[in-house]
Amino acid sequence: MIRLPGNAFLADIAVSDDGTLWVAQGRLSAIAEISPSGKVTQHPLPRGAGFPPYPYDLQKSPDGGIWYAAGDQLGRLAPSGKFTWWDGNTYARPNGPGGKDPGFPDALTLGPDNTIWFEHPERGGNVMSRADMKRGLSRIGPMKGKFDIPVRGMATGPDGAVWFSQQLQYDEDDRDGVGRLTAEGQYKEWPLPKGTVPQSMVAGPDEALWFTERRGIGRIDTGGRFSHFPVRASQHPGDITLGPDKALWFTTDHRVGRLTTKGRITLWPVRGAKNLTGIAPARGGGFWLADRDTDTVRHFTPPPR
């Protein structure tokens, strides 16, 4: 168990290919870097005037380091500790290539073209853009349809398109959906049943996308067919990832769950955990877990099946 500063509000975790663990600490406006030996290095996010940037979504960079979304800031933290970022702060010019404004990115993922894709509002609608270290920020296309609403989770699908969960909180129509966008800007959407509340998403091993939803896990294949798998005594699973065993692993309250592509769910309580959010496979086996209520990162090894 690795304890981080109190009131950190652990929002997301990611693991680099070399085993380095990265943790978004929302209320500290910082990203923690945890080496394979367990050494913790804190990286406060760059900021200017106005509200502090609260990191909430991480994506490992294909060339090392981490990309993050934080309020009106989109950036990359290199293994050297150097930040490159874009934001909407009029008092501090973004130091990323091109100096463009990323809006307020809601979610990000590594796209099919090996660049970072992110969704953000623009002129009353929502659009998808990409970022890379050489060309800076560029627009891919709008997401015009019934579910022109914020994205909660993103993943590149087996069909080479980017898929995402869309959810509008506090809307009387309770509009939820799943969207798909190609590199050419072609957008398609599928509505979800009322009250689904989709969030974190990952590509599965079975030509489908899997996502956390209210009281369960959802699945959509590349043809748009949905399946729903209820999770016992769960209000809302937090995060989901693909395990080395080709099963889907997820967090919910103080438990870790495993879901096979056949629909079989197994749950394990994690001793001492209170509110598990992020989950990521550890390089040496098992999983890293972010426990938001105790400000700790835990290593979980599944019992033999």
Side-chain angles (χ1 to χ4, degrees), residues 6 23 71 74 129 151-153 164 201:
V23 187
L74 175 78
S129 294
V151 166
R152 301 301 175 189
F164 36 88
M201 178 175 281

Side-chain angles (χ1 to χ4, degrees), residues 291-305:
D291 190 349
R292 181 173 295 170
D293 286 6
T294 63
D295 299 306
T296 57
V297 175
R298 302 173 183 273
H299 185 269
F300 170 75
T301 302
R305 293 190 300 277

Side-chain angles (χ1 to χ4, degrees), residues 153-201:
M154 296 173 61
T156 296
D159 57 354
V162 168
W163 292 70
F164 36 88
S165 61
Q166 294 181 265
Q167 172 202 145
L168 185 60
Q169 293 177 322
Y170 314 119
D171 181 73
E172 62 181 6
D173 295 328
D174 202 15
R175 294 176 294 163
D176 294 335
V178 168
R180 175 185 182 272
L181 188 70
T182 68
E184 295 74 33
Q186 297 175 334
Y187 172 65
K188 188 173 182 179
E189 63 187 20
W190 292 266
L192 289 171
K194 184 176 181 179
T196 300
V197 194
Q199 292 195 25
S200 178
M201 178 175 281

Side-chain angles (χ1 to χ4, degrees), residues 230-259:
V231 177
R232 175 173 48 86
S234 173
Q235 286 299 310
H236 207 303
D239 196 11
I240 187 167
T241 190
L242 180 64
D245 59 353
K246 305 303 180 184
L248 289 308
W249 291 78
F250 60 92
T251 57
T252 182
D253 48 70
H254 64 286
R255 298 172 295 171
V256 171
R258 178 181 184 267
L259 170 61

Side-chain angles (χ1 to χ4, degrees), residues 69-293:
D72 69 342
Q73 187 175 124
L74 175 78
R76 177 180 180 269
L77 172 60
S80 65
K82 178 184 176 182
F83 280 96
T84 302
W85 79 97
W86 299 259
D87 66 18
N89 193 326
T90 58
Y91 298 99
R93 178 179 173 82
N95 78 342
K100 293 184 179 180
D101 184 348
F104 284 77
D106 293 308
L108 50 81
T109 193
L110 183 63
D113 54 359
N114 223 33
T115 67
I116 296 298
W117 289 36
F118 65 100
E119 177 271 339
H120 59 101
E122 181 181 282
R123 301 187 190 94
N126 290 73
V127 301
M128 195 76 73
S129 294
R130 63 168 60 90
D132 75 32
M133 295 296 292
K134 293 182 179 180
R135 293 173 292 179
L137 309 185
S138 58
R139 196 171 183 268
I140 299 171
M143 299 182 294
K144 291 295 184 182
K146 181 179 179 181
F147 301 102
D148 182 21
I149 52 179
V151 166
R152 301 301 175 189
M154 296 173 61
T156 296
D159 57 354
V162 168
W163 292 70
F164 36 88
S165 61
Q166 294 181 265
Q167 172 202 145
L168 185 60
Q169 293 177 322
Y170 314 119
D171 181 73
E172 62 181 6
D173 295 328
D174 202 15
R175 294 176 294 163
D176 294 335
V178 168
R180 175 185 182 272
L181 188 70
T182 68
E184 295 74 33
Q186 297 175 334
Y187 172 65
K188 188 173 182 179
E189 63 187 20
W190 292 266
L192 289 171
K194 184 176 181 179
T196 300
V197 194
Q199 292 195 25
S200 178
M201 178 175 281
V202 69
D206 57 346
E207 300 295 312
L209 289 301
W210 296 74
F211 56 92
T212 58
E213 61 177 26
R214 181 175 288 165
R215 301 187 181 90
I217 304 296
R219 176 187 182 273
I220 181 171
D221 66 23
T222 53
R225 291 175 289 272
F226 285 102
S227 303
H228 301 272
F229 303 90
V231 177
R232 175 173 48 86
S234 173
Q235 286 299 310
H236 207 303
D239 196 11
I240 187 167
T241 190
L242 180 64
D245 59 353
K246 305 303 180 184
L248 289 308
W249 291 78
F250 60 92
T251 57
T252 182
D253 48 70
H254 64 286
R255 298 172 295 171
V256 171
R258 178 181 184 267
L259 170 61
T260 70
T261 55
K262 301 296 184 182
R264 180 182 178 184
I265 294 178
T266 308
L267 294 167
W268 294 274
V270 177
R271 185 176 181 180
K274 292 186 178 181
N275 182 16
L276 297 174
T277 50
I279 181 170
R283 190 177 63 163
F287 296 87
W288 289 111
L289 310 173
D291 190 349
R292 181 173 295 170
D293 286 6

